[in-house]
Amino acid sequence: MQYDLTDNITSIDVNGAAIFGVFTDKNIKILAKYLKTTDIAKIKEIIKKSSFEGKINQSLCIYDTSNKKLEKIYLVGLGEKNKYSEKSFLKAVSALSKICKNNNLKNIFLSIDSLLTDKIKQDWAIRNISIHINGIDYVYNETKNKTKIKINYKISKIIFISSLLKKSYLSSLKKYFQQGVAISSGIKLAKKLGDLPSNICTPTYLAKTATDLGKTNKKLNIKIHNEKEMKSMGMNCLLSVGNGSEEPSKLITMKYNGGAKNEKPIALVGKGITFDTGGISIKPSNGMDEMKYDMCGAASVLGTMKTISELNLKINVVGVIASAENMPSGSATNPGDVVTTMSGQTVEILNTDAEGRLVLCDALTYVSRFKPKHVIDVATLTGAVLVALGKVASGVLSNDEKLTEMLMKSSNVSHDYIWELPMWEEFQSELDSNFADIANIGKRYAGTITAACFLSRFTEDYSWAHLDIAGTAWNEGANKGGTGRPVSLLTHFLLENAKSL
Ligand code: BES
Ligand code: MN
Ligand code: ZN
């Protein structure tokens, strides 16, 4: 896709569809620069006769004007001007992206001026337009034969038309647009991995995906540890989860060295349970298919690694994925079994369905060897986070207030929302066990917090935050599918840390 910035439509070498944002005041003054007075009068008349009120999610298509470069003009509703916010901007951009796709628009003239107010920063706007525009071509076809969706939609050219942005902004536009390209590419990878069924997306498949990704950038080095190697490192807790499965468990390490040699890395640790039956503590069968998404933490780590490596970000990042399949069988772990973790602490596995924390704890111990500046784990860890925060926000629990603050800031910028839950010491005694150092489940309440408390026993040596994405990683119902969250949040956090935002 090519993109450019111009103030003068007539100088452009292609014809295309123009898109303008319009508030509920239906002021179309901004179009006057590109059209004759008679056209403006005609458009006003068309608006009057239409049901277009400038509300969010409304749009109007206008044909035939005196400017022959503009094959069609789309007016996209922005809502009330005095209520305009980043949220309304994002809704409008999502709507206009769908218009582009549904109408197979190839060359697009996008009036950036009509979408900006003093509340919207232009760099942020360009990045977000790019995330949406480059994200709309995601389709899942992997396991379809007769019902394959044709992927023939590609935008050829997007030309930002603006009299506010000077030609000298073009290099910044390029930078922020490319950030959006890379973020959407990471999101699409995460969605795809989530959507793939567990008979394809196994721990071995995730390892292969990482290995392939490593071939695309010299700065990205991949190491896969197999079960034998994990055993010798003492990762019995991780291994106990895959015991019941025919699929071998994998520990995937992705080292991205974009920063200075001596700079401490930021570590991302993903839960990669490629299917969670619950194990011997088996789940009810209704909706169990959704447990193919239990590797979405891993998918978001892979997606984020892809994004930062496409951006050649000047930062050191280590991505670690703890991957296993949680199955019941004669060789599965039984409730009440006690295992020794890599940290030396013993765990009484009271419920084999609380397996995410069991794979993560060893990965969190393992990651300390990289002397990380911060560690962020990402996991579809508890159903309880859906009760607390629904499908809107991921839960964040941390042992470092400053890190939480930084993540909250990235959440606000990316609109990939997170919300903090407390991890006070009062919750810790829930994990007391008569037979081991810790039990793997709490009692009845505050399931998201007790899960994080469990992880906190393995993260005392470094600055750490846990993201529970069980509510945000996929959509249910007719739109069932991976969301690619929190790739955007994590990337924004890393961009901020690399001072590239
Ligand atoms: N993968 C699930 C969490 C989950 C549940 C994600 C629903 C998405 C939707 C996790 O492994 C799990 O089973 N957690 C249990 C923990 C319980 C046994 C303490 C849960 O949340 O019920
Ligand atoms: Mn489970
Ligand atoms: Zn799980």
Side-chain angles (χ1 to χ4, degrees), residues 34 86 94 99 103 126 139 175 195 209 226 252 256 274 276 281 310 322 339 346 396 405 410 487 489:
Y34 314 101
E86 288 185 350
S94 159
I99 290 174
N103 299 287
I126 300 290
V139 284
K175 173 178 160 186
D195 288 343
T209 306
N226 62 23
I252 304 164
Y256 174 79
T274 56
D276 180 14
S281 317
E310 281 184 17
V339 295
T346 58
V396 59
E405 224 172 83
S410 303
V487 170
L489 169 83

Short mmCIF file of all heavy atoms in Angstrom, two decimals, residues 34 86 94 99 103 126 139 175 195 209 226 252 256 274 276 281 310 322 339 346 396 405 410 487 489:
data_model
loop_
_atom_site.label_atom_id
_atom_site.label_comp_id
_atom_site.label_asym_id
_atom_site.label_seq_id
_atom_site.Cartn_x
_atom_site.Cartn_y
_atom_site.Cartn_z
N TYR A 34 -12.19 21.58 -2.38
CA TYR A 34 -11.99 20.61 -3.46
C TYR A 34 -13.12 20.60 -4.49
O TYR A 34 -13.07 19.87 -5.45
CB TYR A 34 -11.82 19.20 -2.86
CG TYR A 34 -10.85 19.20 -1.68
CD1 TYR A 34 -11.32 19.19 -0.37
CD2 TYR A 34 -9.48 19.27 -1.91
CE1 TYR A 34 -10.43 19.24 0.69
CE2 TYR A 34 -8.59 19.33 -0.86
CZ TYR A 34 -9.07 19.31 0.44
OH TYR A 34 -8.20 19.37 1.49
N GLU A 86 -11.36 10.88 21.44
CA GLU A 86 -10.61 9.80 20.79
C GLU A 86 -11.52 8.62 20.51
O GLU A 86 -11.40 7.95 19.49
CB GLU A 86 -9.44 9.37 21.67
CG GLU A 86 -8.32 10.38 21.71
CD GLU A 86 -7.09 9.91 22.49
OE1 GLU A 86 -7.16 8.85 23.17
OE2 GLU A 86 -6.07 10.59 22.43
N SER A 94 -13.18 3.20 12.36
CA SER A 94 -13.60 1.81 12.16
C SER A 94 -14.70 1.76 11.11
O SER A 94 -14.69 0.89 10.22
CB SER A 94 -14.05 1.25 13.51
OG SER A 94 -14.89 0.16 13.33
N ILE A 99 -16.32 0.85 5.24
CA ILE A 99 -16.79 1.40 3.97
C ILE A 99 -15.79 1.09 2.86
O ILE A 99 -16.15 0.65 1.77
CB ILE A 99 -17.02 2.94 4.09
CG1 ILE A 99 -18.22 3.22 4.99
CG2 ILE A 99 -17.20 3.58 2.71
CD1 ILE A 99 -18.45 4.68 5.29
N ASN A 103 -16.96 -1.47 -0.13
CA ASN A 103 -17.12 -0.89 -1.45
C ASN A 103 -15.89 -1.09 -2.32
O ASN A 103 -15.77 -0.49 -3.38
CB ASN A 103 -17.45 0.59 -1.33
CG ASN A 103 -18.75 0.80 -0.58
OD1 ASN A 103 -19.82 0.56 -1.11
ND2 ASN A 103 -18.65 1.20 0.68
N ILE A 126 -2.89 9.30 12.92
CA ILE A 126 -2.32 8.58 11.77
C ILE A 126 -2.09 7.11 12.14
O ILE A 126 -2.43 6.21 11.39
CB ILE A 126 -0.98 9.23 11.32
CG1 ILE A 126 -1.17 10.68 10.91
CG2 ILE A 126 -0.31 8.40 10.21
CD1 ILE A 126 -1.92 10.91 9.63
N VAL A 139 -9.14 -12.23 7.37
CA VAL A 139 -10.20 -13.23 7.25
C VAL A 139 -9.63 -14.56 7.70
O VAL A 139 -8.44 -14.81 7.57
CB VAL A 139 -10.74 -13.43 5.82
CG1 VAL A 139 -11.64 -12.31 5.40
CG2 VAL A 139 -9.62 -13.62 4.82
N LYS A 175 6.35 7.50 9.66
CA LYS A 175 6.70 6.79 10.90
C LYS A 175 5.44 6.27 11.61
O LYS A 175 5.36 5.09 11.96
CB LYS A 175 7.47 7.75 11.81
CG LYS A 175 7.75 7.19 13.19
CD LYS A 175 8.56 8.16 14.04
CE LYS A 175 8.43 7.84 15.51
NZ LYS A 175 9.07 8.84 16.36
N ASP A 195 -7.71 -18.21 16.46
CA ASP A 195 -8.81 -18.82 15.71
C ASP A 195 -8.51 -20.26 15.27
O ASP A 195 -9.43 -21.06 15.09
CB ASP A 195 -9.13 -17.98 14.46
CG ASP A 195 -9.84 -16.67 14.83
OD1 ASP A 195 -10.35 -16.59 15.96
OD2 ASP A 195 -9.87 -15.75 14.00
N THR A 209 5.82 -21.45 14.57
CA THR A 209 5.49 -20.06 14.24
C THR A 209 6.59 -19.11 14.73
O THR A 209 6.99 -18.19 14.01
CB THR A 209 4.14 -19.67 14.88
OG1 THR A 209 3.15 -20.62 14.48
CG2 THR A 209 3.69 -18.29 14.47
N ASN A 226 12.58 -28.48 24.59
CA ASN A 226 11.63 -29.59 24.60
C ASN A 226 11.42 -30.12 26.02
O ASN A 226 12.02 -29.60 26.98
CB ASN A 226 12.09 -30.70 23.64
CG ASN A 226 13.44 -31.28 24.06
OD1 ASN A 226 13.84 -31.19 25.22
ND2 ASN A 226 14.15 -31.86 23.10
N ILE A 252 9.08 -21.72 24.63
CA ILE A 252 9.57 -20.96 23.48
C ILE A 252 10.20 -19.66 23.98
O ILE A 252 9.56 -18.91 24.73
CB ILE A 252 8.40 -20.63 22.52
CG1 ILE A 252 7.69 -21.93 22.10
CG2 ILE A 252 8.88 -19.84 21.31
CD1 ILE A 252 6.32 -21.72 21.47
N TYR A 256 14.68 -10.62 21.23
CA TYR A 256 14.81 -9.55 20.24
C TYR A 256 15.81 -8.52 20.77
O TYR A 256 15.57 -7.87 21.79
CB TYR A 256 13.44 -8.89 19.99
CG TYR A 256 13.55 -7.69 19.09
CD1 TYR A 256 13.68 -7.83 17.71
CD2 TYR A 256 13.56 -6.40 19.63
CE1 TYR A 256 13.82 -6.73 16.89
CE2 TYR A 256 13.70 -5.29 18.81
CZ TYR A 256 13.83 -5.46 17.44
OH TYR A 256 13.97 -4.36 16.63
N THR A 274 -2.84 -24.78 24.47
CA THR A 274 -3.46 -24.86 23.14
C THR A 274 -4.85 -25.49 23.19
O THR A 274 -5.64 -25.31 22.27
CB THR A 274 -2.57 -25.62 22.15
OG1 THR A 274 -2.28 -26.92 22.69
CG2 THR A 274 -1.27 -24.88 21.92
N ASP A 276 -7.66 -26.33 26.69
CA ASP A 276 -7.84 -26.52 28.12
C ASP A 276 -9.14 -27.27 28.40
O ASP A 276 -10.21 -26.68 28.47
CB ASP A 276 -7.86 -25.14 28.81
CG ASP A 276 -8.04 -25.26 30.32
OD1 ASP A 276 -7.88 -26.38 30.85
OD2 ASP A 276 -8.31 -24.22 30.96
N SER A 281 -9.88 -32.45 36.47
CA SER A 281 -10.95 -31.56 36.95
C SER A 281 -11.67 -31.01 35.72
O SER A 281 -11.69 -29.80 35.45
CB SER A 281 -10.38 -30.40 37.76
OG SER A 281 -9.37 -30.82 38.65
N GLU A 310 9.15 -5.97 13.05
CA GLU A 310 8.87 -5.25 11.80
C GLU A 310 9.25 -3.78 11.91
O GLU A 310 9.61 -3.15 10.93
CB GLU A 310 7.38 -5.39 11.44
CG GLU A 310 7.06 -6.73 10.80
CD GLU A 310 5.61 -6.86 10.34
OE1 GLU A 310 4.90 -5.83 10.20
OE2 GLU A 310 5.19 -7.99 10.11
N ALA A 322 5.00 -20.43 27.48
CA ALA A 322 4.90 -21.72 28.14
C ALA A 322 3.71 -22.43 27.53
O ALA A 322 2.56 -22.04 27.74
CB ALA A 322 4.69 -21.53 29.64
N VAL A 339 3.73 -31.18 43.11
CA VAL A 339 4.88 -31.08 42.22
C VAL A 339 5.86 -30.02 42.73
O VAL A 339 5.47 -29.09 43.45
CB VAL A 339 4.47 -30.71 40.76
CG1 VAL A 339 3.64 -31.82 40.14
CG2 VAL A 339 3.72 -29.39 40.73
N THR A 346 7.03 -26.15 46.45
CA THR A 346 6.15 -27.24 46.03
C THR A 346 4.71 -26.72 45.91
O THR A 346 4.30 -25.80 46.61
CB THR A 346 6.19 -28.40 47.03
OG1 THR A 346 5.81 -27.91 48.32
CG2 THR A 346 7.58 -29.02 47.11
N VAL A 396 -5.27 -6.06 35.40
CA VAL A 396 -3.83 -5.95 35.64
C VAL A 396 -3.57 -6.03 37.14
O VAL A 396 -4.27 -5.40 37.93
CB VAL A 396 -3.21 -4.66 35.02
CG1 VAL A 396 -3.84 -3.39 35.57
CG2 VAL A 396 -1.70 -4.63 35.22
N GLU A 405 1.35 2.00 36.46
CA GLU A 405 1.07 3.35 35.95
C GLU A 405 1.45 3.46 34.47
O GLU A 405 0.69 4.02 33.67
CB GLU A 405 1.91 4.34 36.75
CG GLU A 405 1.18 5.58 37.18
CD GLU A 405 2.06 6.38 38.12
OE1 GLU A 405 2.92 7.14 37.62
OE2 GLU A 405 1.93 6.21 39.36
N SER A 410 -0.31 3.37 28.69
CA SER A 410 -0.36 2.73 27.37
C SER A 410 -1.78 2.29 27.04
O SER A 410 -2.20 2.31 25.88
CB SER A 410 0.56 1.51 27.32
OG SER A 410 1.87 1.87 27.64
N VAL A 487 -2.13 -7.00 21.91
CA VAL A 487 -0.95 -6.65 21.11
C VAL A 487 -0.76 -5.13 21.07
O VAL A 487 0.36 -4.62 21.24
CB VAL A 487 -1.07 -7.22 19.67
CG1 VAL A 487 0.02 -6.65 18.77
CG2 VAL A 487 -0.99 -8.74 19.69
N LEU A 489 -1.81 -2.79 23.18
CA LEU A 489 -1.36 -2.31 24.49
C LEU A 489 0.13 -2.57 24.69
O LEU A 489 0.90 -1.66 25.04
CB LEU A 489 -2.15 -3.02 25.61
CG LEU A 489 -1.60 -2.79 27.02
CD1 LEU A 489 -2.10 -1.48 27.59
CD2 LEU A 489 -1.94 -3.94 27.94
#
